[in-house]
Amino acid sequence: DQQVKQNSPSLSVQEGRISILNCDYTNSMFDYFLWYKKYPAEGPTFLISISSIKDKNEDGRFTVFLNKSAKHLSLHIVPSQPGDSAVYFCAACAWNNDMRFGAGTRLTVKP
Amino acid sequence: NAGVTQTPKFRVLKTGQSMTLLCAQDMNHEYMYWYRQDPGMGLRLIHYSVGEGTTAKGEVPDGYNVSRLKKQNFLLGLESAAPSQTSVYFCASRRRDPSATEAFFGQGTRLTVV
């Protein structure tokens, strides 16, 4: 069973606009959430994270929002740049350090 | 600083053959993970380890075994490879920290079972 879900396989936005990537989870034991970026033929690289005690974390152009009651988180990229084009994975970590990933969303930022 | 290194990077196996994938990290991380990536499935957790000598099953453990005899190494074994195990395998490591931390990934191992 997929405990972390990214229901949008792909997203296309114009350069300079906002990109919003969504993620849902089902396991209430998850208490730490992360976003990773992945380019072809490379391992995923960490982007930003959020603890379950917070509802927002910001790092430059990247902001992650967490809605615990809805078991939903989102990643906002503003402004989007062509170099942001990649596959983005949402991940969730439980108290026992079991860390699960979603299926990924391929973001394309058009110049 | 090498980070997380996976060996080998590519391998072709025949059905029924066995092999071991090696993951080595030089960051003194306590936690290590093995994932497989398949199209449309994202990264699925195979096994993980929270410390030397300990391992735990993830969501797709069948057909794989793991060992963590040394803190810096996490081995993934396929005893009898099957075509369904054709995938890209990623290893990751993570520091033990009360506030939790991000995982660092290796470059991946592309395995084809024919």
Side-chain angles (χ1 to χ4, degrees), chain B residues 36 45-47 57-65 76-80 82 84-85 89:
Chain B
R36 58 178 288 174
L45 180 63
I46 305 171
H47 287 278
K57 292 181 180 180
E59 58 186 311
V60 288
D62 295 341
Y64 305 95
N65 56 76
L76 178 70
L78 287 74
E79 289 188 350
S80 180
S84 61
Q85 294 178 304
Y89 291 84

Side-chain angles (χ1 to χ4, degrees), chain B residues 47-89:
Chain B
H47 287 278
Y48 67 103
S49 167
V50 298
E52 185 177 323
T54 72
T55 62
K57 292 181 180 180
E59 58 186 311
V60 288
D62 295 341
Y64 305 95
N65 56 76
V66 287
S67 64
R68 183 104 181 264
L69 299 179
K70 293 182 179 180
K71 186 178 183 180
Q72 64 267 34
N73 296 336
F74 195 28
L75 280 65
L76 178 70
L78 287 74
E79 289 188 350
S80 180
S84 61
Q85 294 178 304
T86 293
S87 187
V88 181
Y89 291 84

Side-chain angles (χ1 to χ4, degrees), chain A:
Chain A
D1 63 329
Q2 198 88 14
Q3 297 184 18
V4 179
K5 299 178 183 179
Q6 293 177 257
N7 293 320
S8 298
S10 62
L11 174 68
S12 181
V13 299
Q14 208 65 37
E15 181 180 6
R17 306 293 289 269
I18 184 171
S19 295
I20 300 177
L21 295 93
N22 294 303
C23 177
D24 298 291
Y25 62 95
T26 58
N27 190 340
S28 301
M29 302 304 291
F30 290 140
D31 58 7
Y32 191 68
F33 304 90
L34 311 95
W35 283 94
Y36 282 81
K37 182 178 179 180
K38 187 181 181 304
Y39 293 114
E42 295 183 8
T45 54
F46 171 73
L47 200 55
I48 192 169
S49 62
I50 187 167
S51 165
S52 60
I53 62 173
K54 295 184 177 181
D55 55 17
K56 178 182 174 182
N57 188 26
E58 201 169 348
D59 184 2
R61 296 185 297 113
F62 303 92
T63 303
V64 56
F65 295 92
L66 175 63
N67 182 333
K68 279 189 68 177
S69 61
K71 294 190 176 67
H72 177 84
L73 62 155
S74 61
L75 174 68
H76 293 209
I77 307 173
V78 182
S80 301
Q81 300 173 353
D84 296 329
S85 297
V87 177
Y88 288 79
F89 289 101
C90 167
C93 202
W95 63 270
N96 61 352
N97 297 295
D98 184 328
M99 187 167 59
R100 303 291 176 103
F101 282 74
T105 297
R106 181 177 301 279
L107 173 66
T108 303
V109 181
K110 298 180 179 178

